[in-house]
Amino acid sequence: MGVFGCFIEEGALLLIKAETNNHCNVFVDFCKAFDGLDHQILYQKLKNFKIEGSSLQLLKSFLVDRRQFVGYSNQVSKVLPIKVGVPQGSILAPTLFLMFINDLLTLSLSSSAHAFADDTTFTCSHSDSLQLGRSCSVDLEKIHGWCVLDRMTINVEKPHFLVFGKPKSKICLKLGDAILSQSNNTKLFGFLSDFK
């Protein structure tokens, strides 16, 4: 059997082979991922990592007392405090984001979860395409529930899925109220994956 897809995990290139299973990869994109992190939820998650005391205070000092304004054509808005998000361009921002979504990656799912910064992929496998669709749907309900609880929004324009193998029936997937589109290929970490 030929290779039907590839992904990078922990520095290794993983190849998905068609053997007897069908594989469904769901690609999730968060709206303004780094800008949307709720500070209070982040602080609790940091405590779950046993980051407390002066270490937590140091991280809080990185996030609090930030302000922003908008200027356009000699007009300036009011200066307002920033209560969500992590500063983009900083070395710490991707780490804080991954700590924030860590519990998403460890949900009890049929799928395996893979993340690099704000690119998140869920891979589910099953020999029966109907069961593959059901398993993916249950996982997507759990992922949607996590998003609601943790106040993260998924960009419903971008999530899509690829199916590798030879499913006998069409798979339809929803995330919340949004119907996901099935793609023939996708680019992830600079690699193009397709079902051919």
Side-chain angles (χ1 to χ4, degrees):
M1 290 273 163
V3 173
F4 280 82
C6 65
F7 296 93
I8 297 174
E9 180 181 288
E10 297 175 16
L13 186 63
L14 301 179
L15 302 176
I16 299 173
K17 294 193 175 195
E19 298 153 3
T20 58
N21 279 346
N22 297 298
H23 306 274
C24 181
N25 295 339
V26 178
F27 303 91
V28 174
D29 181 65
F30 293 102
C31 288
K32 301 192 180 263
F34 291 91
D35 294 334
L37 299 186
D38 182 289
H39 290 172
Q40 296 307 314
I41 296 172
L42 176 61
Y43 299 152
Q44 186 55 52
K45 290 182 182 221
L46 291 171
K47 288 178 186 176
N48 293 343
F49 279 101
K50 306 294 183 214
I51 297 173
E52 299 172 326
S54 60
S55 297
L56 181 60
Q57 290 307 315
L58 179 66
L59 290 172
K60 281 183 175 182
S61 72
F62 178 69
L63 299 172
V64 298
D65 293 329
R66 292 184 174 271
R67 301 186 189 303
Q68 68 182 3
F69 68 92
V70 176
Y72 178 74
S73 185
N74 296 332
Q75 298 291 319
V76 178
S77 70
K78 287 175 34 179
V79 177
L80 297 171
I82 299 172
K83 297 181 181 180
V84 296
V86 292
Q88 291 189 36
S90 69
I91 294 171
L92 196 51
T95 303
L96 291 172
F97 179 79
L98 287 174
M99 293 175 88
F100 190 92
I101 67 164
N102 183 67
D103 56 340
L104 169 64
L105 303 176
T106 59
L107 284 177
S108 178
L109 303 173
S110 298
S111 303
S112 59
H114 310 278
F116 180 79
D118 61 341
D119 291 321
T120 309
T121 304
F122 299 92
T123 304
C124 192
S125 301
H126 204 282
S127 58
D128 178 75
S129 53
L130 287 174
Q131 185 56 45
L132 177 64
R134 283 188 208 108
S135 295
C136 287
S137 293
V138 168
D139 286 354
L140 286 169
E141 285 177 23
K142 291 178 182 179
I143 293 164
H144 182 258
W146 179 91
C147 290
V148 169
L149 186 66
D150 286 9
R151 298 184 187 147
M152 291 293 288
T153 304
I154 292 180
N155 183 345
V156 294
E157 307 269 325
K158 290 188 179 176
H160 60 282
F161 67 97
L162 286 171
V163 177
F164 299 100
K166 298 183 186 215
K168 294 183 176 148
S169 60
K170 184 174 167 83
I171 296 174
C172 295
L173 298 176
K174 286 176 53 173
L175 185 59
D177 294 330
I179 296 173
L180 301 184
S181 63
Q182 183 171 350
S183 297
N184 293 328
N185 60 58
T186 195
K187 197 169 192 179
L188 184 66
F189 310 131
F191 289 98
L192 182 66
S193 292
D194 63 35
F195 72 93
K196 297 176 185 174

